[in-house]
Each structure stands twice: as structure tokens, then as C-alpha cells.
Amino acid sequence: MSAKEVVKAFYESDVANDATLVSRLFHKDCELHWTGSQGFVLYDYKGVEGFFEGTRQSYNSLRFEFTHFMEVNDTVVTRHTIYGRTIEHSDDETILAHVSSIWEIKDGKIFRCYEISQQADESNEASMKSYKEIKL
């Protein structure tokens, strides 16, 4: 699989429910460098497993809407918005975050990810749409 196909397989999997996600797609020596609303976090393979275990306990589904998805050699860059349905409110999809990620692939698996996320809500989305309309 190409680097883009590996990252695409991650986003197209059932991230909120697939207990095999990490073992199938992440390299044993992986690192996830994430800067978000809680500051910087560095996850190794065990940390990534724990993160997605928490995700499975909180969400029924996650959906990703992309503005950018680019590949150069073994590196993929994505920019997207994440939407989720929580276990408590499975009928309501909520906008969760805007994310930019740089994925490095090694041996056909996710080896490194450098990610920056910004918490989002419906008002962020509305203001972005109006900003885009003004810019055009």
C-alpha cells in the first residue's frame, strides 16, 4: 500500500469501534506528537492503544471531512474536521475539532504523526462559512 492508502485506511476504518485499528495500522515503534487544547502530548504505541480505547468508550461513530489530503513519498498531510456521535447522544452528530496532521509511514504502517487540533463547535463552523463567503 502507498502511504496515502495507509492513511486513507485509517480514516475509512470504524475508528470509534474497531479494536484492531492500532494493531493493523500502527507500527510498533510509532509516535503520535499531538498539540491540542490540553497542550502537547507524546504517545508511543501503548499510549495510542489507550487513546483509541478511550475513544471507543466515548463515541459511537466518528466522521472526517477533508479539505486537504496530500502525499509526498512516505509522508501524507491532511487537514480535516472531525464530527462525532457520543454514546450518550447517538442521534446527534457534533463537530469536535479542526485538525492538521503530518503522517509518516514505515513498513506499510503509521510510524509518526505530528498533529495539531483546535476544538470546534457549531459557532466556529458558522463563522468559517461566513468568512469563506466574504473572502470569495
PDB file of all heavy atoms in Angstrom, residues 4-37:
ATOM      1  N   LYS A   4      -0.422   7.100   1.186  1.00  0.00           N
ATOM      2  CA  LYS A   4      -1.774   7.672   1.160  1.00  0.00           C
ATOM      3  C   LYS A   4      -2.830   6.598   1.421  1.00  0.00           C
ATOM      4  O   LYS A   4      -3.810   6.832   2.131  1.00  0.00           O
ATOM      5  CB  LYS A   4      -2.017   8.365  -0.182  1.00  0.00           C
ATOM      6  CG  LYS A   4      -3.280   9.185  -0.229  1.00  0.00           C
ATOM      7  CD  LYS A   4      -3.346   9.980  -1.526  1.00  0.00           C
ATOM      8  CE  LYS A   4      -4.534  10.896  -1.540  1.00  0.00           C
ATOM      9  NZ  LYS A   4      -4.580  11.710  -2.773  1.00  0.00           N
ATOM     10  N   GLU A   5      -2.629   5.413   0.871  1.00  0.00           N
ATOM     11  CA  GLU A   5      -3.580   4.315   1.088  1.00  0.00           C
ATOM     12  C   GLU A   5      -3.605   3.882   2.556  1.00  0.00           C
ATOM     13  O   GLU A   5      -4.673   3.552   3.079  1.00  0.00           O
ATOM     14  CB  GLU A   5      -3.236   3.127   0.190  1.00  0.00           C
ATOM     15  CG  GLU A   5      -3.514   3.385  -1.276  1.00  0.00           C
ATOM     16  CD  GLU A   5      -2.938   2.300  -2.183  1.00  0.00           C
ATOM     17  OE1 GLU A   5      -1.896   1.693  -1.830  1.00  0.00           O
ATOM     18  OE2 GLU A   5      -3.544   2.079  -3.250  1.00  0.00           O
ATOM     19  N   VAL A   6      -2.457   3.895   3.231  1.00  0.00           N
ATOM     20  CA  VAL A   6      -2.404   3.534   4.651  1.00  0.00           C
ATOM     21  C   VAL A   6      -3.192   4.550   5.478  1.00  0.00           C
ATOM     22  O   VAL A   6      -4.025   4.183   6.314  1.00  0.00           O
ATOM     23  CB  VAL A   6      -0.944   3.440   5.159  1.00  0.00           C
ATOM     24  CG1 VAL A   6      -0.908   3.268   6.671  1.00  0.00           C
ATOM     25  CG2 VAL A   6      -0.206   2.309   4.471  1.00  0.00           C
ATOM     26  N   VAL A   7      -2.948   5.838   5.237  1.00  0.00           N
ATOM     27  CA  VAL A   7      -3.647   6.877   5.991  1.00  0.00           C
ATOM     28  C   VAL A   7      -5.136   6.861   5.656  1.00  0.00           C
ATOM     29  O   VAL A   7      -5.988   6.991   6.540  1.00  0.00           O
ATOM     30  CB  VAL A   7      -3.016   8.261   5.733  1.00  0.00           C
ATOM     31  CG1 VAL A   7      -3.823   9.370   6.400  1.00  0.00           C
ATOM     32  CG2 VAL A   7      -1.570   8.275   6.222  1.00  0.00           C
ATOM     33  N   LYS A   8      -5.452   6.657   4.395  1.00  0.00           N
ATOM     34  CA  LYS A   8      -6.855   6.569   3.981  1.00  0.00           C
ATOM     35  C   LYS A   8      -7.551   5.392   4.677  1.00  0.00           C
ATOM     36  O   LYS A   8      -8.687   5.512   5.122  1.00  0.00           O
ATOM     37  CB  LYS A   8      -6.950   6.433   2.461  1.00  0.00           C
ATOM     38  CG  LYS A   8      -8.336   6.572   1.926  1.00  0.00           C
ATOM     39  CD  LYS A   8      -8.334   6.561   0.405  1.00  0.00           C
ATOM     40  CE  LYS A   8      -9.746   6.688  -0.105  1.00  0.00           C
ATOM     41  NZ  LYS A   8      -9.844   6.593  -1.552  1.00  0.00           N
ATOM     42  N   ALA A   9      -6.845   4.264   4.808  1.00  0.00           N
ATOM     43  CA  ALA A   9      -7.414   3.099   5.508  1.00  0.00           C
ATOM     44  C   ALA A   9      -7.720   3.438   6.963  1.00  0.00           C
ATOM     45  O   ALA A   9      -8.736   2.998   7.511  1.00  0.00           O
ATOM     46  CB  ALA A   9      -6.450   1.917   5.432  1.00  0.00           C
ATOM     47  N   PHE A  10      -6.854   4.237   7.584  1.00  0.00           N
ATOM     48  CA  PHE A  10      -7.108   4.685   8.958  1.00  0.00           C
ATOM     49  C   PHE A  10      -8.403   5.489   9.016  1.00  0.00           C
ATOM     50  O   PHE A  10      -9.300   5.196   9.818  1.00  0.00           O
ATOM     51  CB  PHE A  10      -5.939   5.524   9.476  1.00  0.00           C
ATOM     52  CG  PHE A  10      -6.255   6.255  10.749  1.00  0.00           C
ATOM     53  CD1 PHE A  10      -6.263   5.598  11.961  1.00  0.00           C
ATOM     54  CD2 PHE A  10      -6.566   7.606  10.726  1.00  0.00           C
ATOM     55  CE1 PHE A  10      -6.577   6.263  13.138  1.00  0.00           C
ATOM     56  CE2 PHE A  10      -6.872   8.287  11.891  1.00  0.00           C
ATOM     57  CZ  PHE A  10      -6.880   7.610  13.098  1.00  0.00           C
ATOM     58  N   TYR A  11      -8.527   6.511   8.184  1.00  0.00           N
ATOM     59  CA  TYR A  11      -9.704   7.379   8.229  1.00  0.00           C
ATOM     60  C   TYR A  11     -10.987   6.667   7.799  1.00  0.00           C
ATOM     61  O   TYR A  11     -12.066   7.019   8.253  1.00  0.00           O
ATOM     62  CB  TYR A  11      -9.489   8.621   7.368  1.00  0.00           C
ATOM     63  CG  TYR A  11      -8.542   9.619   7.979  1.00  0.00           C
ATOM     64  CD1 TYR A  11      -7.343   9.950   7.361  1.00  0.00           C
ATOM     65  CD2 TYR A  11      -8.843  10.248   9.191  1.00  0.00           C
ATOM     66  CE1 TYR A  11      -6.478  10.874   7.919  1.00  0.00           C
ATOM     67  CE2 TYR A  11      -7.986  11.172   9.749  1.00  0.00           C
ATOM     68  CZ  TYR A  11      -6.805  11.484   9.115  1.00  0.00           C
ATOM     69  OH  TYR A  11      -5.955  12.400   9.677  1.00  0.00           O
ATOM     70  N   GLU A  12     -10.871   5.677   6.930  1.00  0.00           N
ATOM     71  CA  GLU A  12     -12.059   4.958   6.465  1.00  0.00           C
ATOM     72  C   GLU A  12     -12.456   3.808   7.381  1.00  0.00           C
ATOM     73  O   GLU A  12     -13.523   3.227   7.226  1.00  0.00           O
ATOM     74  CB  GLU A  12     -11.839   4.442   5.040  1.00  0.00           C
ATOM     75  CG  GLU A  12     -11.824   5.556   4.023  1.00  0.00           C
ATOM     76  CD  GLU A  12     -11.611   5.073   2.601  1.00  0.00           C
ATOM     77  OE1 GLU A  12     -11.203   3.905   2.403  1.00  0.00           O
ATOM     78  OE2 GLU A  12     -11.839   5.880   1.685  1.00  0.00           O
ATOM     79  N   SER A  13     -11.618   3.478   8.368  1.00  0.00           N
ATOM     80  CA  SER A  13     -11.968   2.410   9.301  1.00  0.00           C
ATOM     81  C   SER A  13     -13.001   2.930  10.302  1.00  0.00           C
ATOM     82  O   SER A  13     -13.257   4.122  10.380  1.00  0.00           O
ATOM     83  CB  SER A  13     -10.726   1.894  10.025  1.00  0.00           C
ATOM     84  OG  SER A  13     -10.192   2.905  10.842  1.00  0.00           O
ATOM     85  N   ASP A  14     -13.557   2.044  11.054  1.00  0.00           N
ATOM     86  CA  ASP A  14     -14.534   2.412  12.088  1.00  0.00           C
ATOM     87  C   ASP A  14     -13.759   2.779  13.351  1.00  0.00           C
ATOM     88  O   ASP A  14     -13.667   2.001  14.292  1.00  0.00           O
ATOM     89  CB  ASP A  14     -15.490   1.247  12.327  1.00  0.00           C
ATOM     90  CG  ASP A  14     -16.653   1.615  13.231  1.00  0.00           C
ATOM     91  OD1 ASP A  14     -16.715   2.766  13.713  1.00  0.00           O
ATOM     92  OD2 ASP A  14     -17.496   0.738  13.460  1.00  0.00           O
ATOM     93  N   VAL A  15     -13.177   3.977  13.342  1.00  0.00           N
ATOM     94  CA  VAL A  15     -12.275   4.420  14.406  1.00  0.00           C
ATOM     95  C   VAL A  15     -12.914   4.301  15.788  1.00  0.00           C
ATOM     96  O   VAL A  15     -12.253   3.946  16.761  1.00  0.00           O
ATOM     97  CB  VAL A  15     -11.806   5.873  14.144  1.00  0.00           C
ATOM     98  CG1 VAL A  15     -10.982   6.411  15.288  1.00  0.00           C
ATOM     99  CG2 VAL A  15     -11.023   5.938  12.839  1.00  0.00           C
ATOM    100  N   ALA A  16     -14.214   4.549  15.876  1.00  0.00           N
ATOM    101  CA  ALA A  16     -14.888   4.539  17.177  1.00  0.00           C
ATOM    102  C   ALA A  16     -15.209   3.132  17.683  1.00  0.00           C
ATOM    103  O   ALA A  16     -15.591   2.980  18.846  1.00  0.00           O
ATOM    104  CB  ALA A  16     -16.178   5.355  17.099  1.00  0.00           C
ATOM    105  N   ASN A  17     -15.060   2.110  16.850  1.00  0.00           N
ATOM    106  CA  ASN A  17     -15.468   0.771  17.262  1.00  0.00           C
ATOM    107  C   ASN A  17     -14.474  -0.345  16.961  1.00  0.00           C
ATOM    108  O   ASN A  17     -14.644  -1.461  17.446  1.00  0.00           O
ATOM    109  CB  ASN A  17     -16.806   0.413  16.599  1.00  0.00           C
ATOM    110  CG  ASN A  17     -17.910   1.331  17.049  1.00  0.00           C
ATOM    111  OD1 ASN A  17     -18.276   1.342  18.212  1.00  0.00           O
ATOM    112  ND2 ASN A  17     -18.417   2.159  16.139  1.00  0.00           N
ATOM    113  N   ASP A  18     -13.455  -0.085  16.162  1.00  0.00           N
ATOM    114  CA  ASP A  18     -12.533  -1.125  15.709  1.00  0.00           C
ATOM    115  C   ASP A  18     -11.403  -1.349  16.717  1.00  0.00           C
ATOM    116  O   ASP A  18     -10.450  -0.568  16.777  1.00  0.00           O
ATOM    117  CB  ASP A  18     -11.958  -0.748  14.346  1.00  0.00           C
ATOM    118  CG  ASP A  18     -11.073  -1.824  13.748  1.00  0.00           C
ATOM    119  OD1 ASP A  18     -10.816  -2.847  14.417  1.00  0.00           O
ATOM    120  OD2 ASP A  18     -10.629  -1.632  12.600  1.00  0.00           O
ATOM    121  N   ALA A  19     -11.485  -2.414  17.490  1.00  0.00           N
ATOM    122  CA  ALA A  19     -10.468  -2.730  18.497  1.00  0.00           C
ATOM    123  C   ALA A  19      -9.155  -3.190  17.871  1.00  0.00           C
ATOM    124  O   ALA A  19      -8.132  -3.239  18.550  1.00  0.00           O
ATOM    125  CB  ALA A  19     -10.994  -3.793  19.459  1.00  0.00           C
ATOM    126  N   THR A  20      -9.144  -3.501  16.568  1.00  0.00           N
ATOM    127  CA  THR A  20      -7.919  -3.946  15.895  1.00  0.00           C
ATOM    128  C   THR A  20      -7.215  -2.798  15.165  1.00  0.00           C
ATOM    129  O   THR A  20      -6.175  -3.019  14.550  1.00  0.00           O
ATOM    130  CB  THR A  20      -8.218  -5.068  14.885  1.00  0.00           C
ATOM    131  OG1 THR A  20      -8.976  -4.530  13.782  1.00  0.00           O
ATOM    132  CG2 THR A  20      -8.977  -6.217  15.537  1.00  0.00           C
ATOM    133  N   LEU A  21      -7.760  -1.613  15.239  1.00  0.00           N
ATOM    134  CA  LEU A  21      -7.243  -0.465  14.492  1.00  0.00           C
ATOM    135  C   LEU A  21      -5.748  -0.251  14.703  1.00  0.00           C
ATOM    136  O   LEU A  21      -4.985  -0.166  13.741  1.00  0.00           O
ATOM    137  CB  LEU A  21      -8.008   0.807  14.900  1.00  0.00           C
ATOM    138  CG  LEU A  21      -7.527   2.111  14.293  1.00  0.00           C
ATOM    139  CD1 LEU A  21      -7.952   2.179  12.843  1.00  0.00           C
ATOM    140  CD2 LEU A  21      -8.091   3.291  15.065  1.00  0.00           C
ATOM    141  N   VAL A  22      -5.317  -0.183  15.943  1.00  0.00           N
ATOM    142  CA  VAL A  22      -3.911   0.110  16.230  1.00  0.00           C
ATOM    143  C   VAL A  22      -3.017  -1.033  15.767  1.00  0.00           C
ATOM    144  O   VAL A  22      -2.006  -0.804  15.098  1.00  0.00           O
ATOM    145  CB  VAL A  22      -3.711   0.426  17.730  1.00  0.00           C
ATOM    146  CG1 VAL A  22      -2.241   0.637  18.053  1.00  0.00           C
ATOM    147  CG2 VAL A  22      -4.521   1.664  18.125  1.00  0.00           C
ATOM    148  N   SER A  23      -3.363  -2.260  16.067  1.00  0.00           N
ATOM    149  CA  SER A  23      -2.503  -3.391  15.672  1.00  0.00           C
ATOM    150  C   SER A  23      -2.429  -3.551  14.154  1.00  0.00           C
ATOM    151  O   SER A  23      -1.400  -3.977  13.627  1.00  0.00           O
ATOM    152  CB  SER A  23      -2.982  -4.687  16.321  1.00  0.00           C
ATOM    153  OG  SER A  23      -4.285  -5.023  15.881  1.00  0.00           O
ATOM    154  N   ARG A  24      -3.482  -3.203  13.444  1.00  0.00           N
ATOM    155  CA  ARG A  24      -3.494  -3.320  11.979  1.00  0.00           C
ATOM    156  C   ARG A  24      -2.733  -2.204  11.281  1.00  0.00           C
ATOM    157  O   ARG A  24      -2.089  -2.440  10.259  1.00  0.00           O
ATOM    158  CB  ARG A  24      -4.930  -3.306  11.434  1.00  0.00           C
ATOM    159  CG  ARG A  24      -5.704  -4.555  11.611  1.00  0.00           C
ATOM    160  CD  ARG A  24      -7.070  -4.524  10.913  1.00  0.00           C
ATOM    161  NE  ARG A  24      -7.887  -3.363  11.257  1.00  0.00           N
ATOM    162  CZ  ARG A  24      -8.110  -2.322  10.441  1.00  0.00           C
ATOM    163  NH1 ARG A  24      -7.585  -2.260   9.250  1.00  0.00           N
ATOM    164  NH2 ARG A  24      -8.883  -1.327  10.840  1.00  0.00           N
ATOM    165  N   LEU A  25      -2.810  -0.984  11.815  1.00  0.00           N
ATOM    166  CA  LEU A  25      -2.335   0.170  11.057  1.00  0.00           C
ATOM    167  C   LEU A  25      -1.146   0.918  11.650  1.00  0.00           C
ATOM    168  O   LEU A  25      -0.537   1.729  10.966  1.00  0.00           O
ATOM    169  CB  LEU A  25      -3.498   1.154  10.844  1.00  0.00           C
ATOM    170  CG  LEU A  25      -4.666   0.612  10.009  1.00  0.00           C
ATOM    171  CD1 LEU A  25      -5.809   1.612   9.977  1.00  0.00           C
ATOM    172  CD2 LEU A  25      -4.207   0.278   8.598  1.00  0.00           C
ATOM    173  N   PHE A  26      -0.818   0.676  12.913  1.00  0.00           N
ATOM    174  CA  PHE A  26       0.256   1.425  13.554  1.00  0.00           C
ATOM    175  C   PHE A  26       1.496   0.561  13.754  1.00  0.00           C
ATOM    176  O   PHE A  26       1.411  -0.578  14.192  1.00  0.00           O
ATOM    177  CB  PHE A  26      -0.212   1.992  14.896  1.00  0.00           C
ATOM    178  CG  PHE A  26      -1.116   3.189  14.759  1.00  0.00           C
ATOM    179  CD1 PHE A  26      -2.457   3.035  14.445  1.00  0.00           C
ATOM    180  CD2 PHE A  26      -0.625   4.475  14.927  1.00  0.00           C
ATOM    181  CE1 PHE A  26      -3.291   4.126  14.304  1.00  0.00           C
ATOM    182  CE2 PHE A  26      -1.453   5.578  14.800  1.00  0.00           C
ATOM    183  CZ  PHE A  26      -2.789   5.406  14.479  1.00  0.00           C
ATOM    184  N   HIS A  27       2.642   1.130  13.442  1.00  0.00           N
ATOM    185  CA  HIS A  27       3.942   0.496  13.631  1.00  0.00           C
ATOM    186  C   HIS A  27       4.207   0.338  15.129  1.00  0.00           C
ATOM    187  O   HIS A  27       3.824   1.190  15.924  1.00  0.00           O
ATOM    188  CB  HIS A  27       5.010   1.396  12.994  1.00  0.00           C
ATOM    189  CG  HIS A  27       6.316   0.757  12.792  1.00  0.00           C
ATOM    190  ND1 HIS A  27       7.222   0.578  13.819  1.00  0.00           N
ATOM    191  CD2 HIS A  27       6.895   0.247  11.666  1.00  0.00           C
ATOM    192  CE1 HIS A  27       8.297   0.001  13.332  1.00  0.00           C
ATOM    193  NE2 HIS A  27       8.137  -0.212  12.035  1.00  0.00           N
ATOM    194  N   LYS A  28       4.855  -0.743  15.528  1.00  0.00           N
ATOM    195  CA  LYS A  28       5.150  -0.989  16.959  1.00  0.00           C
ATOM    196  C   LYS A  28       6.017   0.109  17.570  1.00  0.00           C
ATOM    197  O   LYS A  28       5.989   0.326  18.774  1.00  0.00           O
ATOM    198  CB  LYS A  28       5.823  -2.349  17.159  1.00  0.00           C
ATOM    199  CG  LYS A  28       4.911  -3.522  16.889  1.00  0.00           C
ATOM    200  CD  LYS A  28       3.864  -3.657  17.968  1.00  0.00           C
ATOM    201  CE  LYS A  28       3.022  -4.897  17.721  1.00  0.00           C
ATOM    202  NZ  LYS A  28       1.890  -4.980  18.618  1.00  0.00           N
ATOM    203  N   ASP A  29       6.796   0.812  16.755  1.00  0.00           N
ATOM    204  CA  ASP A  29       7.649   1.904  17.243  1.00  0.00           C
ATOM    205  C   ASP A  29       7.059   3.278  16.942  1.00  0.00           C
ATOM    206  O   ASP A  29       7.774   4.274  16.873  1.00  0.00           O
ATOM    207  CB  ASP A  29       9.043   1.806  16.610  1.00  0.00           C
ATOM    208  CG  ASP A  29       9.764   0.542  17.014  1.00  0.00           C
ATOM    209  OD1 ASP A  29       9.631   0.130  18.191  1.00  0.00           O
ATOM    210  OD2 ASP A  29      10.455  -0.059  16.163  1.00  0.00           O
ATOM    211  N   CYS A  30       5.745   3.341  16.775  1.00  0.00           N
ATOM    212  CA  CYS A  30       5.097   4.599  16.388  1.00  0.00           C
ATOM    213  C   CYS A  30       5.168   5.657  17.491  1.00  0.00           C
ATOM    214  O   CYS A  30       5.358   5.342  18.670  1.00  0.00           O
ATOM    215  CB  CYS A  30       3.646   4.359  15.998  1.00  0.00           C
ATOM    216  SG  CYS A  30       2.558   3.974  17.390  1.00  0.00           S
ATOM    217  N   GLU A  31       5.014   6.890  17.057  1.00  0.00           N
ATOM    218  CA  GLU A  31       4.884   8.026  17.960  1.00  0.00           C
ATOM    219  C   GLU A  31       3.816   8.949  17.404  1.00  0.00           C
ATOM    220  O   GLU A  31       3.789   9.211  16.198  1.00  0.00           O
ATOM    221  CB  GLU A  31       6.191   8.819  18.069  1.00  0.00           C
ATOM    222  CG  GLU A  31       7.283   8.105  18.808  1.00  0.00           C
ATOM    223  CD  GLU A  31       8.548   8.959  18.917  1.00  0.00           C
ATOM    224  OE1 GLU A  31       8.625  10.034  18.282  1.00  0.00           O
ATOM    225  OE2 GLU A  31       9.449   8.539  19.655  1.00  0.00           O
ATOM    226  N   LEU A  32       2.969   9.440  18.282  1.00  0.00           N
ATOM    227  CA  LEU A  32       1.960  10.435  17.926  1.00  0.00           C
ATOM    228  C   LEU A  32       2.275  11.689  18.723  1.00  0.00           C
ATOM    229  O   LEU A  32       2.189  11.695  19.952  1.00  0.00           O
ATOM    230  CB  LEU A  32       0.553   9.929  18.237  1.00  0.00           C
ATOM    231  CG  LEU A  32      -0.594  10.921  18.097  1.00  0.00           C
ATOM    232  CD1 LEU A  32      -0.682  11.466  16.681  1.00  0.00           C
ATOM    233  CD2 LEU A  32      -1.902  10.273  18.505  1.00  0.00           C
ATOM    234  N   HIS A  33       2.686  12.739  18.016  1.00  0.00           N
ATOM    235  CA  HIS A  33       3.006  14.035  18.622  1.00  0.00           C
ATOM    236  C   HIS A  33       1.777  14.917  18.426  1.00  0.00           C
ATOM    237  O   HIS A  33       1.477  15.304  17.297  1.00  0.00           O
ATOM    238  CB  HIS A  33       4.200  14.675  17.906  1.00  0.00           C
ATOM    239  CG  HIS A  33       5.429  13.833  17.918  1.00  0.00           C
ATOM    240  ND1 HIS A  33       6.557  14.207  18.597  1.00  0.00           N
ATOM    241  CD2 HIS A  33       5.720  12.636  17.334  1.00  0.00           C
ATOM    242  CE1 HIS A  33       7.499  13.294  18.432  1.00  0.00           C
ATOM    243  NE2 HIS A  33       7.006  12.331  17.672  1.00  0.00           N
ATOM    244  N   TRP A  34       1.064  15.211  19.491  1.00  0.00           N
ATOM    245  CA  TRP A  34      -0.220  15.897  19.369  1.00  0.00           C
ATOM    246  C   TRP A  34      -0.236  17.160  20.217  1.00  0.00           C
ATOM    247  O   TRP A  34       0.011  17.117  21.424  1.00  0.00           O
ATOM    248  CB  TRP A  34      -1.335  14.951  19.797  1.00  0.00           C
ATOM    249  CG  TRP A  34      -2.713  15.517  19.747  1.00  0.00           C
ATOM    250  CD1 TRP A  34      -3.172  16.578  19.013  1.00  0.00           C
ATOM    251  CD2 TRP A  34      -3.845  15.038  20.471  1.00  0.00           C
ATOM    252  NE1 TRP A  34      -4.506  16.780  19.223  1.00  0.00           N
ATOM    253  CE2 TRP A  34      -4.945  15.837  20.126  1.00  0.00           C
ATOM    254  CE3 TRP A  34      -4.025  14.001  21.375  1.00  0.00           C
ATOM    255  CZ2 TRP A  34      -6.210  15.642  20.652  1.00  0.00           C
ATOM    256  CZ3 TRP A  34      -5.290  13.809  21.891  1.00  0.00           C
ATOM    257  CH2 TRP A  34      -6.371  14.609  21.534  1.00  0.00           C
ATOM    258  N   THR A  35      -0.532  18.280  19.577  1.00  0.00           N
ATOM    259  CA  THR A  35      -0.736  19.540  20.271  1.00  0.00           C
ATOM    260  C   THR A  35      -2.201  19.908  20.135  1.00  0.00           C
ATOM    261  O   THR A  35      -2.709  20.064  19.018  1.00  0.00           O
ATOM    262  CB  THR A  35       0.151  20.661  19.682  1.00  0.00           C
ATOM    263  OG1 THR A  35       1.510  20.244  19.742  1.00  0.00           O
ATOM    264  CG2 THR A  35      -0.029  21.949  20.467  1.00  0.00           C
ATOM    265  N   GLY A  36      -2.892  19.993  21.270  1.00  0.00           N
ATOM    266  CA  GLY A  36      -4.316  20.309  21.269  1.00  0.00           C
ATOM    267  C   GLY A  36      -4.653  21.243  22.406  1.00  0.00           C
ATOM    268  O   GLY A  36      -3.773  21.896  22.990  1.00  0.00           O
ATOM    269  N   SER A  37      -5.918  21.278  22.754  1.00  0.00           N
ATOM    270  CA  SER A  37      -6.394  22.203  23.790  1.00  0.00           C
ATOM    271  C   SER A  37      -5.798  21.908  25.163  1.00  0.00           C
ATOM    272  O   SER A  37      -5.720  22.793  26.012  1.00  0.00           O
ATOM    273  CB  SER A  37      -7.922  22.168  23.868  1.00  0.00           C
ATOM    274  OG  SER A  37      -8.360  20.865  24.190  1.00  0.00           O
TER     275      SER A  37
END
